[in-house]
Amino acid sequence: PRPYMNMLSKLASVHQMFPLHRPATHGGDEVRLKNLLANEEQTAEGEGETVGSDHMTATDGLHDDHRPPEVLRKLAPRPSVHRGLPLDAGTWEDVKSPNGSIFDPERVKEIIFHGGIKPDIRAEVWKYLLGLDVWEHTAQQREERRANKTQEYFQMKLQWLTITPTQEHNFSGFRERKCQIEKDVKRTDRTDAFFAGDDNPNLTKLQDILMTYVMYNFDLGYVQGMSDLLAPILSLVQNEAESFWCFVGFMHKVFANFDIDQKGMKQQLEHLRVLLSFVNERLFNYMRENQSENMYFCFRWLLVWFKREFCNPDIMQLWEVLWTGLPCPNFHLFVCVAILDQEMDVFIDGQFSFNEILKHVNELSGHLDLAAVLEQAESIYLQVKQTLDSSKEPHNVLRKIIGEEVSPTTENSTEEDNEHDDDDDDDDDSCMSIVNERSIEEKE
């Protein structure tokens, strides 16, 4: 059984029967789409005359500057991008001062973004990218910090290890999280040699770290999907306490993914819609005509940062690229757009419905070329950046996506629009809740 796919398939059927916040389709919409697909080089003036008047009513939850423009815009060309060489031991030693500090962390991040990290130094560099080690610290300061962090970890671990049966019986929140962790650990990355086999001590480490995180962050505790994020870190770093603090650093970057109200996930899906509509209008219009622009089929990608779409060596390289924060904090959204962009012809030529798009996206797992995806993602980013640099339009949401500051006046306007978006999303909160829960259970 595929509960995740079944749920989204049912959701798509309901969405088609009772479109959320979608008025009846105007006859002009079909003509516009037909004309768009037949001739992508129409003049913007001619397109604008047939489209602009009813665009606000044809859009699901997008407002003002961040609604997908129907008028064909002049985008900057996509530059050719090629991956570089990974950070190697020689270069890593070159950026170390005699006292052990890293004197050029920005150069290090640039190299990692363009080429990743060689496996022989990956564990050491990850500790910097994830905040366990501090770039400016000397070797002595680094060892002192690690010792203090190790002591802090085992203090927190001792707290849950010494909870009495009576305490556990009277602490339902702790009991439920412990039960969920035990279930998830048993099915996390069991095909990886590091976690394979019965009575594997590494599974105990995995469980202990997750239980200690519950004590570290009472408010969040444990949510399904977190074991997927920890497993590659533990398999590489191996030291239990250091793996924990690296995991804490990773969770700091994706904390919003696990909000109980799913506000963070909904915002990312909305930003993904805005970005796709800007860089690939043809694909976005096709998805909108087929009730697929909600982007729910990308939920798993965003939740666990493509963990199930790539093999372990590839996911390690992808994550270290994303951890650099280059070229913008939301580069993972450009990775999503790059994958969708590559699959556009499959979707459109095959006349895929939501169900078929969902099925195809899930079947991409293990069949994606990471280098090609990263090259295209960077190329799309550069295209967007150059287009915005030469544009007189505010494009507030797009500018925020790529990390640019937005003036207070336009930002307040955008926030008001987002409040309306939140109101519009109230009806599908329950749908998103089910998607969030089911998608993680797919591996069962």
Side-chain angles (χ1 to χ4, degrees), residues 211-230:
M211 286 296 300
T212 306
Y213 189 82
V214 171
M215 306 307 293
Y216 172 79
N217 189 337
F218 284 106
D219 290 339
L220 179 60
Y222 175 79
V223 181
Q224 286 180 294
M226 288 165 58
S227 61
D228 286 298
L229 302 183
L230 170 59

Side-chain angles (χ1 to χ4, degrees), residues 85-94 111 116-121 125:
L85 296 175
L87 179 69
D88 58 24
T91 306
W92 180 238
E93 289 301 319
D94 289 342
I111 295 172
I117 306 171
K118 282 278 192 178
D120 58 324
I121 60 169
V125 180

Side-chain angles (χ1 to χ4, degrees), residues 83 309-311 314-315 317-318 335 338-339 342-343 364-377:
R83 299 292 292 161
E309 318 316 316
F310 295 95
C311 63
D314 280 355
I315 202 60
Q317 186 180 54
L318 174 58
V335 173
I339 297 173
Q342 291 178 354
E343 301 302 317
L364 290 176
S365 179
H367 299 284
L368 294 169
D369 183 334
L370 178 61
V373 169
L374 287 174
E375 288 174 351
Q376 188 150 351

Side-chain angles (χ1 to χ4, degrees), residues 117-264:
I117 306 171
K118 282 278 192 178
D120 58 324
I121 60 169
R122 176 170 280 152
E124 182 180 358
V125 180
W126 273 25
K127 296 171 189 178
Y128 286 89
L129 291 174
L130 293 172
L132 170 60
D133 292 340
V134 179
W135 302 100
E136 296 78 16
H137 277 188
T138 65
Q140 181 180 350
Q141 290 173 319
R142 182 170 61 251
E143 293 306 317
E144 289 175 354
R145 176 179 168 83
R146 288 186 186 180
N148 292 334
K149 288 293 185 181
T150 298
Q151 182 179 4
E152 184 180 354
Y153 169 76
F154 283 106
Q155 285 177 342
M156 291 186 290
K157 181 177 179 179
L158 186 62
Q159 290 173 351
W160 66 265
L161 282 174
T162 55
I163 287 181
T164 67
T166 302
Q167 285 178 302
E168 184 171 333
H169 176 75
N170 295 328
F171 192 174
S172 60
F174 176 84
R175 194 170 60 248
E176 291 166 1
R177 288 164 171 173
K178 180 182 178 182
C179 180
Q180 189 62 61
I181 289 172
E182 290 173 348
K183 290 179 180 179
D184 287 355
V185 163
K186 293 177 181 177
R187 55 183 184 237
T188 299
D189 284 9
R190 297 308 301 275
T191 57
D192 187 328
F194 188 78
F195 296 106
D198 298 329
D199 301 321
N200 188 327
N202 295 320
L203 294 176
T204 303
K205 282 186 182 180
L206 187 69
Q207 180 171 326
D208 288 355
I209 292 173
L210 293 171
M211 286 296 300
T212 306
Y213 189 82
V214 171
M215 306 307 293
Y216 172 79
N217 189 337
F218 284 106
D219 290 339
L220 179 60
Y222 175 79
V223 181
Q224 286 180 294
M226 288 165 58
S227 61
D228 286 298
L229 302 183
L230 170 59
I233 295 175
L234 178 59
S235 67
L236 178 70
V237 177
Q238 299 192 9
N239 178 283
E240 183 178 333
E242 293 179 357
S243 296
F244 170 82
W245 290 111
C246 288
F247 175 64
V248 167
F250 193 2
M251 284 300 300
H252 182 73
K253 298 176 184 293
V254 297
F255 185 87
N257 289 9
F258 301 96
D259 286 341
I260 192 170
D261 61 359
Q262 297 146 15
K263 183 177 180 180

